[in-house]
Amino acid sequence: MNNITRHSINTLGYNFVPKNFLPPGKDEYHLRNLQNKSGIDYRKLSAQEIEMLVRNRNQSDDWNKILVSDAFNPELVKNCKFYGLIRIGKLEPFFLEFKNLRMPVGLYNSTIISCDIGDNVVIDNVNYLGHYIIGNEVIIVNVNELATTPYAKFGNGISKDGEEENLRIWLELRNENGGRSVIPFNGMLPGDAYLWSEFRADHKLLEQFKKFTEDRFDKQRGYYGKIGDRSVIKNTSIIKDVWIGSDAYIKGANKLKNLTINSSPEASTQIGEGCELVNGIIDFGCRIFYGVKAVRFVMASQSQLKYGARLINSYLGNNATISCCEVLNSLIFPAHEQHHNNSFLCAAMIMGQSNIAAGATIGSNHNSRGADGELIAGRGFWPGLCVSLKHNSKFASFTMLAKGDFPAELNIPVPFSLVSNNVQENKIVVMPAYWFLYNMYALARNAWKYEDRDKRTEKIQQLEYNYLAPDSATEIAAALPILETAVGNAWLRTQNANGKFTADEALAAGQKLLHADDPAIDELNITVEGWENSDRPTTLIKVREAWKMYRCMLNYYAVNETLALIEEKGIQSWKELSAYLPPANAPLSTWTNVGGQLMTSDALNELISSIRDGRINGWFEVHRFYSKQAERYQEEKTNHALVVWKKVSGHTTIEASTFRKALEEALKTREWIFDSIYKSREKDYKNPFRMMVYNSEEERDEVIGKLEDNSFIRQEKQGLDEYRQKIDRMNRIISQD
């Protein structure tokens, strides 16, 4: 039975906060008065104004409870019902226009309960508007219900005075059984979600995170909803317990409940037709359109949900887009793309710059007895069409999976690889360094694209978009001995009938063959173990080319970061540069992707210990740590790049003469990269199967543009010229000493 209770009509609009939840000496308006920062001086209505309001078919339970500004015009209030304390700003004879919607200033055909209304607002045909503070020049038209409850939390995972703990909202990230749950809060960054969901055995740390979150919010009941200046809401059914920033645009939504919608003049947030959003935080500059369903979620700034997307128990990072498909229990770092109606992503941590293709099914639990599987994918994860993956799986940075149903769990430790399921021969085939060898255009263009599309207005976390960075370079360095050992194993099996040899012998044999660039490697059956949870083989192909390419890219990475450091520090001589070079015995630092921001293990440990022992006392200080770490990033990255280069090249020290050779190799690599980018795109123009849909080359060029006019290729050509100049300058710096 529905519990419908009766109350005196005289109490409608009053007693918003039960008396037992009011602080001593405070009334139900004390929080409302703190929230209202309009600065308007209110007065009571005059007898003449009351008469005009009544003549315009307006009603009030108590005309003395309607307070107005000196510029209030009662002729602009018609057919409205008022209950409780109402405060109204200027109403002047203008109309407001927004995207061809033109509405006269004033309050019309609405029921308004205990609200503060700013200057020159349009409210028309709002069936129920209760307990909101509305800014200036706001337009609200054709809304069924727009109301706030006394225990509103606006999407934050907090509990109010008198509420049970089980009412708290948690996000069950990365794991369907809730074992990595976090409490959502307004301002939560991808790094925050990562830290909270990752270190689950550190109970002191988790307690601190919960305390940080609770300390951000007041437990008192009675906060009103807010609608910021110049926001527009039209043709929407239900908005309940929603805090809306300035310059937001909401049109045709079905249901918005328990949300914070951040918006500003610089980063307006928009929500469109058919959307149903419940229990969420929406950051600045987001776009949500066309039938989206989202429940228990956080959207970081400049992210998008479109075309029927479903986002549940998930965190969506900055500059990410999900269209059509379904995402559950996932932590997604910035610059994620997922566009297709039958794509499914569940119980995963996707670490950014990823692209999920049509038909991808990532996270099937069919190989598990419970909903406790997980998938972790490094930056640049790209599963192809109709890929099916099983929990638990883990992938190195920039892994591409070819179309196929992968029947068992995978652990791919080598980056920039192409992974294929060879059904005919019943084996997994991995091509290391695939992206470098065959798709440099896409790799380079994506790095530029992510940087170009980063529209965050507040860049607290420094996001890394370059494909060569400490995370991927460390994986490349770790991949080299894996390839060397695999080659050595394959070679020694052909030379030793009984197959008895040690791992060190295999590594030495593989290194010898690869350093000699022996073509015999191409004839070997090179396999590895432990990459798939099955008895069938995993075969490596193009190993000789991949090994050379990995080493080449590490040299290129070292030179690039040194050039960046020289530019940042204004270095003018080799002596100055030497002060920043790592010592001979410098260890290779380990790095972690903390929500898109790369940090050394030392920095991460410092952050965690500072949180545990109370030196960091809130999320603001955590975010300040991110910013300070970003200031050190270039210097630490250069140090890492040079240590990796020394480790791989065999140099114990970095001398000017040896570094000059590294510069020469880096320039050759940069020239090769440009050539590869050009040829990758040129193939699209020379492929007869692409050409056959055009009647002539002229028609093709009209449709897709001329190759020589490709803006990215032209940009890369200019970049190559600038790179030559930087190398020349670096050589001059070396020569000065």
Side-chain angles (χ1 to χ4, degrees):
M1 182 176 72
N2 290 340
N3 184 22
I4 297 176
T5 59
R6 290 181 296 179
H7 304 275
S8 170
I9 188 65
N10 295 328
T11 64
L12 180 57
Y14 304 97
N15 303 316
F16 181 58
V17 183
K19 291 182 178 179
N20 57 313
F21 290 111
L22 288 174
K26 301 292 185 179
D27 62 20
E28 63 172 303
Y29 304 122
H30 76 284
L31 293 177
R32 172 180 175 179
N33 293 335
L34 289 175
Q35 287 181 274
N36 188 338
K37 303 182 185 302
S38 66
I40 298 172
D41 290 326
Y42 297 105
R43 60 173 176 81
K44 289 186 177 183
L45 293 167
S46 68
Q48 183 181 10
E49 288 172 330
I50 294 173
E51 181 181 347
M52 295 173 67
L53 289 169
V54 172
R55 188 172 64 241
N56 287 337
R57 302 180 306 280
N58 296 293
Q59 303 176 35
S60 173
D61 66 306
D62 184 350
W63 291 110
N64 289 321
K65 292 293 186 180
I66 297 181
L67 306 179
V68 298
S69 75
D70 285 338
F72 171 75
N73 185 344
E75 290 290 354
L76 304 182
V77 181
K78 298 179 180 179
N79 198 30
C80 290
K81 298 177 182 178
F82 298 101
Y83 298 93
L85 176 64
I86 307 292
R87 297 188 287 209
I88 305 172
K90 291 180 183 178
L91 290 180
E92 299 176 301
F94 302 123
F95 74 85
L96 303 184
E97 180 177 4
F98 179 78
K99 294 184 181 294
N100 209 39
L101 173 67
R102 300 174 180 179
M103 299 295 295
V105 165
L107 315 180
Y108 309 100
N109 311 305
S110 300
T111 297
I112 303 174
I113 301 172
S114 193
C115 289
D116 290 347
I117 299 169
D119 292 336
N120 291 321
V121 166
V122 175
I123 297 176
D124 194 345
N125 196 32
V126 180
N127 294 333
Y128 186 95
L129 171 57
H131 302 99
Y132 259 90
I133 298 173
I134 299 169
N136 301 322
E137 296 187 342
V138 170
I139 301 175
I140 308 174
V141 180
N142 299 332
V143 176
N144 287 341
E145 180 182 352
L146 178 55
T148 304
T149 62
Y151 43 82
K153 306 167 190 70
F154 308 114
N156 297 290
I158 56 175
S159 58
K160 290 292 185 175
D161 288 338
E163 287 190 325
E164 299 293 332
E165 177 64 23
N166 60 10
L167 295 177
R168 187 191 298 273
I169 298 296
W170 292 79
L171 297 188
E172 297 176 0
L173 303 181
R174 299 175 55 179
N175 191 299
E176 290 180 275
N177 68 4
R180 295 188 184 274
S181 294
V182 307
I183 299 174
F185 61 89
N186 186 26
M188 183 180 235
L189 297 178
D192 306 336
Y194 169 79
L195 293 171
W196 202 334
S197 64
E198 178 71 7
F199 300 100
R200 302 306 292 191
D202 192 335
H203 298 290
K204 175 62 175 177
L205 182 68
L206 301 184
E207 289 173 5
Q208 289 290 83
F209 287 149
K210 185 175 181 181
K211 180 179 182 298
F212 289 176
T213 305
E214 291 182 331
D215 288 348
R216 286 176 67 95
F217 303 99
D218 189 348
K219 286 182 172 291
Q220 291 186 83
R221 298 188 181 206
Y223 281 94
Y224 278 39
K226 294 191 73 174
I227 301 174
D229 296 345
R230 298 174 302 280
S231 286
V232 177
I233 304 172
K234 67 177 186 178
N235 306 326
T236 293
S237 295
I238 299 172
I239 301 177
K240 189 171 184 178
D241 291 349
V242 178
W243 191 101
I244 303 170
S246 72
D247 301 276
Y249 183 29
I250 299 171
K251 57 175 182 175
N254 289 345
K255 182 176 184 179
L256 308 178
K257 181 179 179 181
N258 191 29
L259 305 171
T260 290
I261 302 173
N262 290 292
S263 184
S264 69
E266 300 78 20
S268 172
T269 290
Q270 299 183 19
I271 300 173
E273 294 82 352
C275 294
E276 297 174 10
L277 313 176
V278 179
N279 300 337
I281 305 292
I282 302 166
D283 212 345
F284 294 93
C286 289
R287 299 288 187 272
I288 308 172
F289 288 120
Y290 310 127
V292 165
K293 317 296 181 188
V295 181
R296 298 194 181 214
F297 67 98
V298 173
M299 292 178 64
S301 63
Q302 303 294 334
S303 56
Q304 300 185 64
L305 292 175
K306 300 185 293 185
Y307 309 122
R310 282 87 71 204
L311 183 72
I312 301 170
N313 266 315
S314 295
Y315 186 105
L316 181 63
N318 311 88
N319 310 305
T321 299
I322 293 178
S323 302
C324 311
C325 44
E326 185 172 12
V327 176
L328 310 174
N329 303 96
S330 292
L331 170 55
I332 300 173
F333 289 10
H336 174 83
E337 301 285 337
Q338 192 169 347
H339 295 287
H340 306 284
N341 193 47
N342 51 350
S343 293
F344 175 73
L345 179 65
C346 180
M349 181 168 67
I350 309 296
M351 303 180 81
Q353 296 154 58
S354 38
N355 196 314
I356 310 298
T361 304
I362 298 172
S364 170
N365 275 313
H366 296 167
N367 61 326
S368 173
R369 294 176 182 172
D372 55 1
E374 298 183 23
L375 181 142
I376 299 175
R379 286 194 303 132
F381 182 57
W382 198 311
L385 295 170
C386 299
V387 160
S388 176
L389 293 173
K390 300 292 188 292
H391 290 138
N392 292 337
S393 289
K394 189 174 182 179
F395 301 92
S397 301
F398 296 92
T399 298
M400 173 178 277
L401 294 113
K403 177 179 178 180
D405 183 0
F406 292 83
E409 302 93 327
L410 296 171
N411 181 15
I412 307 300
V414 294
F416 301 96
S417 296
L418 174 65
V419 182
S420 305
N421 181 24
N422 189 326
V423 177
Q424 291 77 16
E425 299 182 22
N426 191 31
K427 64 181 180 181
I428 293 289
V429 179
V430 179
M431 185 192 303
Y434 158 79
W435 284 96
F436 299 140
L437 294 169
Y438 295 105
N439 208 358
M440 275 303 306
Y441 178 88
L443 191 62
R445 186 179 182 278
N446 285 343
W448 163 79
K449 177 181 71 175
Y450 298 137
E451 181 74 34
D452 183 66
R453 295 180 182 178
D454 187 353
K455 305 302 182 184
R456 292 174 297 155
T457 55
E458 190 175 17
K459 298 183 178 181
I460 297 173
Q461 287 200 268
Q462 179 175 334
L463 305 180
E464 177 60 82
Y465 296 118
N466 200 315
Y467 54 88
L468 288 176
D471 57 343
S472 56
T474 299
E475 290 173 337
I476 290 175
L480 290 171
I482 293 174
L483 300 187
E484 291 160 358
T485 300
V487 168
N489 281 329
W491 171 259
L492 292 176
R493 283 196 297 267
T494 66
Q495 305 299 308
N496 189 339
N498 60 24
K500 292 183 179 180
F501 48 84
T502 66
D504 288 341
E505 290 172 335
L507 177 62
Q511 288 176 337
K512 182 178 180 181
L513 289 166
L514 287 164
H515 278 285
D517 196 21
D518 194 330
I521 297 171
D522 301 338
E523 306 301 321
L524 297 174
N525 179 28
I526 304 173
T527 61
V528 290
E529 296 181 354
W531 291 22
E532 185 188 45
N533 186 20
S534 73
D535 295 330
R536 64 178 183 162
T538 298
T539 300
L540 304 184
I541 60 174
K542 302 283 185 180
V543 176
R544 184 161 62 105
E545 295 92 330
W547 184 84
K548 289 190 293 185
M549 187 55 63
Y550 277 158
R551 291 171 58 87
C552 183
M553 285 298 172
L554 290 180
N555 180 87
Y556 183 58
Y557 168 57
V559 170
N560 287 349
E561 298 312 324
T562 305
L563 293 174
L565 182 70
I566 288 171
E567 186 172 337
E568 182 186 79
K569 302 294 184 182
I571 293 171
Q572 299 295 326
S573 68
W574 178 259
K575 183 178 180 180
E576 286 183 55
L577 178 60
S578 298
Y580 293 97
L581 299 181
N585 59 349
L588 180 59
S589 57
T590 57
W591 290 72
T592 301
N593 186 342
V594 181
Q597 179 174 4
L598 303 184
M599 291 187 191
T600 65
S601 58
D602 289 343
L604 183 57
N605 291 336
E606 178 188 348
L607 172 60
I608 291 172
S609 64
S610 297
I611 293 170
R612 293 184 84 259
D613 64 22
R615 284 175 290 153
I616 287 179
N617 288 304
W619 287 115
F620 175 79
E621 294 182 30
V622 173
H623 296 173
R624 187 164 58 186
F625 184 93
Y626 295 156
S627 298
K628 288 183 177 180
Q629 189 59 32
E631 296 172 2
R632 301 160 52 187
Y633 180 54
Q634 184 56 61
E635 190 173 334
E636 291 181 334
K637 183 165 58 166
T638 304
N639 182 284
H640 174 268
L642 292 172
V643 172
V644 170
W645 175 70
K646 286 199 305 176
K647 177 181 175 67
V648 171
S649 64
H651 296 295
T652 56
T653 59
I654 301 175
E655 305 294 340
S657 57
T658 57
F659 199 72
R660 186 177 284 109
K661 293 180 181 178
L663 294 174
E664 295 173 4
E665 291 300 317
L667 180 56
K668 291 178 183 177
T669 300
R670 186 67 179 83
E671 292 169 343
W672 171 85
I673 288 174
F674 174 75
D675 190 52
S676 297
I677 290 170
Y678 185 88
K679 288 180 178 178
S680 293
R681 187 60 175 145
E682 185 183 40
K683 286 187 291 186
D684 295 337
Y685 285 78
K686 292 187 175 181
N687 186 334
F689 286 89
R690 285 182 174 264
M691 186 64 198
M692 68 184 180
V693 299
Y694 308 110
N695 296 312
S696 65
E697 291 184 359
E698 291 76 16
E699 179 184 337
R700 176 203 64 197
D701 291 345
E702 286 295 325
V703 174
I704 65 174
K706 295 181 180 180
L707 177 61
E708 57 269 25
D709 292 338
N710 182 287
S711 60
F712 179 68
I713 290 177
R714 294 172 68 177
Q715 177 181 302
E716 285 298 295
K717 178 63 169 65
Q718 180 181 349
L720 174 57
D721 294 339
E722 293 172 354
Y723 196 78
R724 289 193 179 103
Q725 296 173 11
K726 290 180 180 179
I727 294 294
D728 288 343
R729 180 169 177 268
M730 183 63 195
N731 275 316
R732 289 195 298 272
I733 286 175
I734 293 174
S735 300
Q736 286 178 11
D737 293 325

